Amino acid sequence: MTVNSSTDPGIAERLERIWKTEPGLRGWFATVDHKQIGLRYLVTAFLFLLIGGIEALLLRLQLAGPGRHVLTPDQYNELFTMHGMTMIFLYALPILSGFSNFLWPLLLGSRDMAFPRLNAFSYWVFLFSGLFMYASFLVGRPPDAGWFNYVPYSGRNYNQNVGMDLYALGMVFYGISTTVGSINFVVSLLRTKAPGMSINRVPIIIWGTLTASVGNLFAVPAVSLAFLLLWFDRNFYTHFYDATLGGHPLLWQHLFWMFGHPWVYAIVLPAMGIVSDALPVFCRRPLVGYTPVALSTVTTMFIGFGVWVHHMFATGLPPLSLSFFSAASIIIVLPSAVAVFAWIATIFTGRPVFKTPFLFFAGFIVLFTIGGVSGFMTASVPLDWQLTDTYFVVAHMHYVLLGINVFPVIGGLTFWFPKFTGRMLNERLGKWSFWIMFIGFNAGFFPMHISGLLGMPRRIYTYPPGLGWDLPNLVTSVGSFLFAAGILLFLINVVLSLKSKRMADANPWDAPSLEWTISSPPPSYNFAVIPTLASRHPLWEDRLDNGGASSSLSEGLLLDHGRETVATTPLDAEPIAILRMPEDSLMPFTTTIVLTVLFGALLLHAWWIAGLAAILTFIATVAWLWPQASLGQTAEAI
């Protein structure tokens, strides 16, 4: 039934009764509301960022000067392993999943993700897999072979540490979360867009997360297999990686980097999407080159699957194969350059408003360029041979994995904070936090390039004086603490703003996209009626030339007979069915608990417990799916 939400004041109350999560402890564990799940992702991933940051600061205290003994060699190895694992796996992608989980249905004009229960399950698995890997601290032996975990260093012959088994099984566990979450994002885009939101009207952040999700579906199985084979080698004396018994250590590197390099783009492309969608708001004009930027997003991931040997140039592979991978590593710069030129053109042809989010996005463009140039340098095989395993590579990785991720994340959190909470962050504190973070980041990580060019190797516990490394390391350590101070100031801003009684307007930034058409924070049902889109910028239609097209934002399908949303065609977004969405359920949480017991039993070789947990996992899955499937079991044709 098509209705006008402004003429029926009872619509909101009826929909709130249908969609609101039950209050109390049961509701907290059972909710499938994408907004609550998105906020949990954001908070949990940010906590992991803080933990990884503390680990990094301890490492920088150790390296601030020559011959220091803040940490023992074993403690140093454990901390840099956990720091890398935390930042790359438990922070960088999950924080972006938090944005996407919260924003996707709002951006697409839907009432929830395609698979709400699977969405909740992905969060719980992420949380418990992270806790599973951090349980290595409780047994006193965290993994210590680096986040890349190269064999034979991580094999049982050289490393009896139980933390290595926790890491191996934990990554297989974590892969479940990434895989089901990626499936959910892909299906949500294909099936739950609002009528009229054709594929050429979806925001760029949707393109970024979609591309990352499709990439993860191909990349994550490789690393899950790598860790599973390692666990077999360590616990059942197989020899997949043992060269003395017919195995091959380079098999690990191939499997790991087949995943690792696409993963870089999985944690960069959604962040680039944040910038592509939010930066134009402060330039008071649409993004320059929407179509080229969308195509460059997809192209980057496509080429990214052909550059994994970029990380293996020094392993003795045939020179002819190195030339192909070197060429691919250079070519992949081109689609990234398309996005950079689009952002610069948007700023240059717009009327920039220098608010805090704009500063973070502009700072990101600078860091993105520096990280891209240093990556282009290491794509040359002869130069890479000189730079491999030096601090130059560490500098590049931090510009790519930290700078290109954290600055869009903080900018995005500032931009969407009123949508998340209904409140605005303090502008003065926000600008102070930006400048402290930006100066601290470059002071902390740019000198690493110099340390690397001076010959400082990676993963070094300490170093003697007189090698020219003293001053660059001191500056790096000071800059790292300055960067941490900027993060702390941002957190102070968040706390003070949450305590403020001043509420934000529904659209405080004058943004054009669909999520700003509803109240901040959004109601549990998102949209009172399902909107119909006629352009890419529904709130700017009166100031842009859209050929007379006009979106319908207050009149549309009501869908108030239970939890419902509309299904549309993948490309043209023509409505074809009404989807019955599932109610809140404890089954995703229960299934995660049983899976955690299963992986714990595998770690302890408690086979009867593992068998029982496997059976209970099957039972929990059946209970989850019975009697109502998540997507379209009782879909009605429109």
Side-chain angles (χ1 to χ4, degrees):
M1 179 178 65
T2 301
V3 299
N4 191 314
S5 61
S6 61
T7 61
D8 187 348
I11 289 178
E13 288 79 1
R14 294 202 305 275
L15 291 173
E16 188 70 18
R17 287 195 300 269
I18 294 170
W19 286 90
K20 187 174 179 61
T21 295
E22 173 187 338
L25 192 61
R26 185 190 184 282
W28 196 87
F29 284 105
T31 184
V32 297
D33 185 346
H34 72 96
K35 296 179 291 298
Q36 294 192 37
I37 294 168
L39 291 176
R40 290 176 186 181
Y41 260 112
L42 290 170
V43 172
T44 305
F46 208 92
L47 288 175
F48 278 122
L49 170 68
L50 298 180
I51 294 171
I54 292 171
E55 292 164 346
L57 295 179
L58 292 173
L59 298 175
R60 290 316 313 172
L61 284 175
Q62 170 65 26
L63 294 173
R68 296 174 65 86
H69 298 286
V70 177
L71 302 170
T72 66
D74 287 341
Q75 290 172 338
Y76 184 88
N77 288 340
E78 292 166 356
L79 279 180
F80 89 73
T81 299
M82 294 301 293
H83 164 70
M85 179 270 288
T86 301
M87 302 299 276
I88 292 171
F89 298 124
L90 301 180
Y91 159 72
L93 185 70
I95 197 81
L96 298 172
S97 296
F99 279 103
S100 298
N101 270 288
F102 190 100
L103 294 171
W104 263 48
L106 303 179
L107 292 167
L108 294 175
S110 175
R111 288 191 171 144
D112 211 322
M113 299 288 287
F115 301 108
R117 291 183 180 177
L118 201 64
N119 204 28
F121 178 65
S122 70
Y123 168 74
W124 290 119
V125 172
F126 155 61
L127 173 63
F128 279 87
S129 63
L131 296 176
F132 186 88
M133 287 186 276
Y134 260 87
S136 58
F137 278 105
L138 299 179
V139 299
R141 293 300 307 276
D144 56 4
W147 69 274
F148 42 82
N149 213 43
Y150 282 167
V151 296
Y153 306 119
S154 56
R156 182 169 293 278
N157 289 340
Y158 297 91
N159 196 322
Q160 301 291 323
N161 183 358
V162 68
M164 305 305 300
D165 295 309
L166 276 162
Y167 189 20
L169 289 173
M171 282 300 297
V172 176
F173 193 11
Y174 176 78
I176 298 173
S177 170
T178 307
T179 301
V180 300
S182 297
I183 292 171
N184 204 4
F185 284 126
V186 173
V187 179
S188 293
L189 175 68
L190 295 178
R191 298 293 286 171
T192 64
K193 299 188 299 295
M197 183 169 279
S198 55
I199 199 69
N200 65 330
R201 290 175 180 166
V202 299
I204 296 294
I205 188 175
I206 302 289
W207 280 107
T209 306
L210 172 70
T211 305
S213 298
V214 173
N216 285 336
L217 292 177
F218 290 95
V220 171
V223 78
S224 297
L225 176 62
F227 276 100
L228 186 62
L229 296 183
L230 175 64
W231 184 68
F232 284 153
D233 275 7
R234 290 180 55 85
N235 292 271
F236 301 105
Y237 303 100
T238 56
H239 310 293
F240 294 105
Y241 303 122
D242 189 347
T244 64
L245 293 169
H248 207 308
L250 281 187
L251 173 62
W252 171 271
Q253 292 197 38
H254 281 293
L255 288 173
F256 188 85
W257 292 117
M258 282 178 185
F259 152 84
H261 210 93
W263 185 263
V264 170
Y265 301 113
I267 63 181
V268 168
L269 293 176
M272 294 169 64
I274 291 174
V275 176
S276 295
D277 283 336
L279 176 69
V281 173
F282 300 94
C283 298
R284 296 297 181 252
R285 59 147 301 145
L287 176 71
V288 172
Y290 168 91
T291 300
V293 171
L295 292 176
S296 72
T297 300
V298 178
T299 304
T300 298
M301 179 60 78
F302 180 79
I303 301 175
F305 275 94
V307 299
W308 79 86
V309 177
H310 174 94
H311 299 268
M312 301 172 60
F313 283 166
T315 58
L317 296 175
L320 182 61
S321 65
L322 297 185
S323 65
F324 284 107
F325 285 99
S326 177
S329 301
I330 292 172
I331 291 172
I332 203 170
V333 173
L334 298 179
S336 299
V338 170
V340 172
F341 282 113
W343 299 325
I344 294 174
T346 302
I347 297 173
F348 185 76
T349 60
R351 292 170 292 150
V353 179
F354 293 91
K355 297 292 186 179
T356 299
F358 177 84
L359 296 178
F360 276 100
F361 300 144
F364 155 81
I365 297 174
V366 174
L367 302 180
F368 186 87
T369 303
I370 295 173
V373 169
S374 62
F376 177 83
M377 294 169 65
T378 57
S380 172
V381 175
L383 184 57
D384 182 84
W385 284 345
Q386 299 298 315
L387 298 176
T388 290
D389 283 337
T390 72
Y391 255 76
F392 188 95
V393 179
V394 179
H396 166 68
M397 289 189 63
H398 280 85
Y399 268 89
V400 171
L401 299 179
L402 186 62
I404 296 178
N405 181 283
V406 170
F407 278 80
V409 162
I410 301 297
L413 288 174
T414 306
F415 179 68
W416 279 295
F417 193 79
K419 185 55 59 180
F420 296 151
T421 68
R423 293 170 171 81
M424 296 287 289
L425 289 174
N426 182 277
E427 186 68 16
R428 179 176 295 181
L429 285 178
K431 290 181 177 178
W432 271 104
S433 66
F434 164 75
W435 286 112
I436 293 173
M437 287 176 61
F438 187 74
I439 294 171
F441 182 89
N442 286 286
F445 299 110
F446 194 84
M448 287 183 173
H449 294 96
I450 300 172
S451 301
L453 292 173
L454 291 174
M456 182 174 176
R458 301 172 66 179
R459 303 180 287 276
I460 189 172
Y461 155 67
T462 188
Y463 54 91
L467 297 177
W469 305 345
D470 304 22
L471 181 59
N473 274 288
L474 179 60
V475 174
T476 292
S477 295
V478 172
S480 300
F481 277 88
L482 187 61
F483 179 71
I487 296 286
L488 179 61
L489 187 59
F490 169 75
L491 290 175
I492 292 173
N493 194 358
V494 168
V495 172
L496 293 178
S497 299
L498 288 175
K499 291 183 177 180
S500 172
K501 296 182 180 180
R502 181 183 175 185
M503 302 300 291
D505 296 332
N507 187 7
W509 307 113
D510 188 25
S513 46
L514 203 55
E515 79 272 26
W516 299 105
T517 64
I518 56 179
S519 61
S520 299
S524 58
Y525 50 86
N526 292 350
F527 299 93
V529 296
I530 303 299
T532 300
L533 276 293
S535 71
R536 198 177 292 150
H537 307 96
L539 293 182
W540 281 3
E541 288 174 346
D542 59 341
R543 67 186 80 169
L544 299 174
D545 183 11
N546 291 311
S550 179
S551 299
S552 178
L553 304 178
S554 60
E555 184 174 317
L557 294 169
L558 175 58
L559 305 184
D560 62 343
H561 296 86
R563 294 193 178 191
E564 298 173 324
T565 194
V566 66
T568 54
T569 56
L571 298 181
D572 297 328
E574 295 291 337
I576 55 174
I578 296 173
L579 302 178
R580 303 286 186 181
M581 308 302 284
E583 303 290 332
D584 291 346
S585 172
L586 286 171
M587 284 300 104
F589 178 75
T590 304
T591 305
T592 305
I593 294 296
V594 177
L595 274 176
T596 305
V597 173
L598 171 60
F599 279 93
L602 293 176
L603 176 72
L604 300 174
H605 294 185
W607 306 121
W608 70 271
I609 297 179
L612 178 61
I615 295 172
L616 291 176
T617 300
F618 175 77
I619 294 173
T621 304
V622 172
W624 173 346
L625 298 174
W626 187 275
Q628 180 185 25
S630 177
L631 178 63
Q633 180 195 18
T634 54
E636 300 175 1
I638 292 180

